[in-house]
Amino acid sequence: EFMRIIIRSKDVNMWLPVPLVLADAAVRFLPDSVMEEIRNPIPSPYREVITKELLQELVRECRNVFKEYKGLEIVHVEAQDGTFVSIRL
């Protein structure tokens, strides 16, 4: 299960396979200070709902959905200078 990130510009031609397992690990190791920054703009009654556990569950559910839509391009950007960025599931 990989997400594919493609970046092309006049100086760079890069293809990065990103294992979806890394997303779960990244959430697990988020510092508390980052969690606070994520929660700050959220209105008070909902702020307490946003936890690492919730984010991990969302990542797990998204991984299941990603399997169903394998190959779906979720980001496609082409700049005027020729820079191209694509993210595919």
Side-chain angles (χ1 to χ4, degrees), residues 7-67:
I7 302 170
R8 283 190 296 238
S9 71
K10 61 183 176 184
D11 301 324
V12 176
N13 190 5
M14 190 180 324
W15 183 86
L16 300 169
V18 179
L20 295 176
V21 174
L22 285 180
D24 190 34
V27 170
R28 226 177 310 131
F29 294 111
L30 277 177
D32 291 336
S33 60
V34 172
M35 286 302 298
E36 283 304 313
E37 286 183 43
I38 292 170
R39 286 187 199 115
N40 278 343
I42 299 171
S44 183
Y46 307 107
R47 188 174 299 149
E48 292 75 28
V49 176
I50 305 301
T51 64
K52 283 185 187 181
E53 292 77 20
L54 174 70
L55 293 178
Q56 285 177 307
E57 185 61 33
L58 289 172
V59 167
R60 274 187 234 112
E61 287 300 317
C62 286
R63 284 176 53 196
N64 293 333
V65 171
F66 289 169
K67 290 177 189 177

